[in-house]
Amino acid sequence: MKTILYIFLLTTSFVSAQNITTKLVDEENKPLAAISIEIENSAKKNYDLTSDENGIFNFEIEQASSFTIYIKEYGFQEFEQNFQTKEIKSPLTILLKKDESIDLKTVTISGQKPLIKRKIDRLEFNVENTPLQNLSAWDIVKNTPNVLVKNDQLSVRGNTQILVTINDKKTLMTEDQLKQLLENTEGSTVSSVEVITNPPAKYEASGSAIINIKMKQNVLSGYKGQFSTRYHQATYAKGMVGTSQSYNKNKWQLSGSYYFVNGKYMRSNFDVVTYDADKTRWESDMVRKTVAKAQHIYNFASQYTIDSLSNLQFGLNGYNNPASIGNYKVPTTIYSLDTNEIESYYLTQNHRREFSNNFNAYLAYDKKFGKNNLTWTNNFSTRHYKESQDVLTQLHFINQPYKENYFLSKAKQDINLYATQLDYALTNNNFGLEAGLKYSFVKNDNDLDFFEKTTNQIDYQPEKSNVFNYKEQIFAAYVSSNFKWKKWVAKAGLRTETTWINIISDNPYSKNNRTKTDFFPTAYLMYSFEKSGQIGLNYGKRIDRPNYNFLNPSKSYYNLFSYFQGDPTIKSTIIHNLSLTYTISDWNFEAYYRYEKNPAMELSIQNPETFETVYHFTNIKNGEAYGLNLSKNYNLKSWWKINLFAMAEYNKNYFFGTDQKTYKNDVVFYNVNLNTQIDLDTEKTFSISVGYVYNSKAIQASFDIGSSQNTYLILNKKLWDKRFEIGLTLNDIFRTDRNTIVTKYANQNQYFKDYRDTQYFILNLKYNFGNQKVKEAKQIEKTAEQNRI
């Protein structure tokens, strides 16, 4: 293998990447500073740049035969021109002409490049230099076309089996941790959000779709920094303080950030379970108040340029929460269905404490050989999680004496993973080729110790304790190619992944050792019309592997009558995506079909014999979805923009009931996301954003999820030459972002009212110092295995 690689490299042409220096000037030949430029070359590499104080920007053409420069800046005529590399003589000068149709005396909003851009394998939502950058990264993602947020869970076209990446770097955090990270990430650092509904073969096969958040990159050398603080008032208060620093000089690019978060979190649930055979209704009213006094979010990224053809990248990031403490009192009242009077009741007091620490590190080496490129990437990640709880239940049951039940549980999880990947890319005029190999290893160890009070002492209960060990290895290989001719673009690829899994659980006893090989084809075809129109067709097969803790079959008790249980025999979900896209004059339309074999999800199952409610993560039979969506940006005035996204989807799930019968649950789901942004002055220092989101009834296996809506308002003011910013966010103004979840079939009859404390206001303060146009250090993509931690 080494010999073949050596011969290959020797026979490859060594051609240096051409550097293009470009200067922007106006009609008086004066340099134009701080102008945003978008560049796309024939090698399908994109640049988002900004001109310096002399109107100059630089970029490498990377062996591409041609490139297109696109500039749309308020006060100037739109510029778009294609250049042939062999005809370019650096430095290049571009003249921007004034737009005489604009009245500078009126209130204006800055012009932008197209907010939505359709590419052959993704939809790019550009937010750079728009009022949306006054929002947090979380709010920007929520406003991205094709992305839905329901119960703080992200989904793409209604599918929650997705991956979230930042600069193509996969996140290691849970849903709550990811939300908190994005809420604490300034929107001004976000350039665009890519929604990849059918990821190419180069990407991991895991997940139905990918949301990639692209952070803003600038071109000037030097140092910059930002200090920010946030006050968040919902039912309880939370606070954040943090800083980010960047330095770019000569061969080094360095960046880092640290955020400290402190506060109280609340979630309320009202649960009703009806036992028809027993003729009773059990109502539980729970308010979960959790105190997290210290949460630490940190990130460091670096890149060292060895020479013009090679670079070395290193970075680390993590999340640490020493203690989340909750003291929950949950009264449960039992009513007689015949008389609707109280028959019995009990009170649960749960003291819970959690510790979590996630850490990730990466090292990568990138080398160019003429038109060829080799990248070797290594990732190492760990997660340590501990949870302890002691639960006291005071029972007042009819025709029974007063009784108390007391138990304690201690759970621990340690996950370690390593992944290494080698990628090769060839770019040659209108043809491109990609290929790669990957290996990953994961080890997941879990311990659960259960103690219960019997007579006058607390005894260890081995029958309710468990040791669970999980090991996984994945060997993957892929090849992908693309070809352009005239107005057509085609792309196709194939990825194969062989997975070896070893699972051992002692209580309940389970041993599972299996090996499986899957193939994942992808295909894309797009045709471009004369007048900014495109039509495309694509297909892809994907897989969704369960999170590691969902494989653990031990019973994790919430209280005396409810617990969570995973499934070690759970199957990975196979997903088929087929899409037809059409774009014309800023209108984006999409029709799609999705089929899911063995989708996995959490189900709630009531047991009439023990009066227990089991939250069980397992497979259902299959799911299908037929959908249509559209998005459009309206420029009503130069200072007033409206963005619209709407979708309709017919979704159906087939699931196995407790009576072993197969049931069908279906619904037509609607979503509307309407928001407007207004710049209130010509200096772009005062802006307002108002938005409205509506979600109709949805389904998840046996669950019917009620409709919800959210109305929000955001004000942002910049002072002191835009270095100091004040922001105010009012979310869920009418307190309508809440859900009622119902399941009723066979002997199952229950519903839950869920409210996640979404009505709040946030006050943001941030101060920028140093050179605010420093290029950020690049981030390395992590593995799919890391996302399942």
Side-chain angles (χ1 to χ4, degrees), residues 207-218:
S208 173
I210 294 174
I211 299 174
N212 181 42
I213 305 168
K214 295 176 66 177
M215 308 306 289
K216 187 176 180 180
Q217 296 185 345
N218 296 309

Side-chain angles (χ1 to χ4, degrees), residues 400-544:
Q400 295 182 22
Y402 170 76
K403 183 181 178 181
E404 288 188 354
N405 177 275
Y406 181 73
F407 69 83
L408 300 90
S409 66
K410 296 181 179 180
K412 182 177 70 172
Q413 181 187 58
D414 290 309
I415 300 179
N416 294 279
L417 69 87
Y418 170 73
T420 183
Q421 181 165 333
L422 182 66
D423 295 295
Y424 164 75
L426 167 66
T427 303
N428 187 7
N429 296 326
N430 293 325
F431 174 77
L433 177 67
E434 294 178 323
L437 299 169
K438 178 195 168 183
Y439 167 76
S440 66
F441 174 77
V442 177
K443 183 180 180 183
N444 177 17
D445 296 325
N446 296 262
D447 292 305
L448 173 64
D449 293 326
F450 193 93
F451 303 85
E452 193 166 12
K453 187 176 182 179
T454 58
T455 62
N456 293 320
Q457 62 182 15
I458 299 175
D459 297 323
Y460 175 71
Q461 303 293 325
E463 72 278 3
K464 293 184 178 180
S465 303
N466 183 46
V467 175
F468 173 76
N469 297 312
Y470 175 90
K471 293 181 180 178
E472 176 189 272
Q473 296 182 72
I474 298 179
F475 302 86
Y478 73 90
V479 61
S480 176
S481 64
N482 61 80
F483 183 69
K484 292 179 61 177
W485 76 103
K486 296 182 178 179
K487 299 178 181 179
W488 290 91
V489 180
K491 186 174 183 178
L494 179 66
R495 185 181 185 91
T496 177
E497 294 187 354
T498 298
T499 306
W500 172 83
I501 294 176
N502 179 263
I503 299 175
I504 300 177
S505 173
D506 70 349
N507 184 31
Y509 178 78
S510 176
K511 187 174 183 179
N512 192 351
N513 193 343
R514 64 179 184 264
T515 303
K516 186 180 181 183
T517 299
D518 293 291
F519 294 90
F520 305 97
T522 53
Y524 312 83
L525 186 65
M526 178 174 283
Y527 177 80
S528 298
F529 300 106
E530 290 286 349
K531 297 183 179 180
S532 304
Q534 297 171 321
I535 187 169
L537 180 67
N538 64 73
Y539 163 78
K541 177 184 174 184
R542 306 284 293 169
I543 190 172
D544 187 67

Side-chain angles (χ1 to χ4, degrees), residues 718-767:
K718 300 179 181 179
L719 304 168
W720 306 341
D721 196 25
K722 301 180 182 179
R723 288 187 174 268
F724 182 68
E725 298 183 35
I726 304 174
L728 176 66
T729 300
L730 303 177
N731 191 66
D732 193 14
I733 296 173
F734 303 106
R735 202 180 175 92
T736 52
D737 194 359
R738 53 177 67 221
N739 289 115
T740 300
I741 304 168
V742 180
T743 182
K744 190 173 184 179
Y745 73 95
N747 63 352
Q748 302 293 294
N749 186 354
Q750 51 186 301
Y751 71 88
F752 315 94
K753 293 184 178 180
D754 186 23
Y755 175 63
R756 304 193 179 215
D757 212 18
T758 53
Q759 188 180 58
Y760 56 78
F761 76 84
I762 295 177
L763 179 64
N764 287 301
L765 302 175
K766 62 181 178 180
Y767 178 71

Side-chain angles (χ1 to χ4, degrees), residues 17 25 48 182 197 219 230 254 256 279 289 354 377-378 380 514-515 517 528 568 599 638 652 668 686 717 736 778 784:
V25 297
D48 291 304
L182 295 179
T197 53
V219 296
R230 169 175 295 173
L254 304 172
K279 296 186 180 300
K289 175 185 174 183
E354 296 181 13
T377 308
N378 297 273
F380 173 74
R514 64 179 184 264
T515 303
T517 299
S528 298
S638 59
K652 54 183 178 180
V668 177
F686 189 27
K717 176 64 177 177
T736 52
K778 295 181 180 179

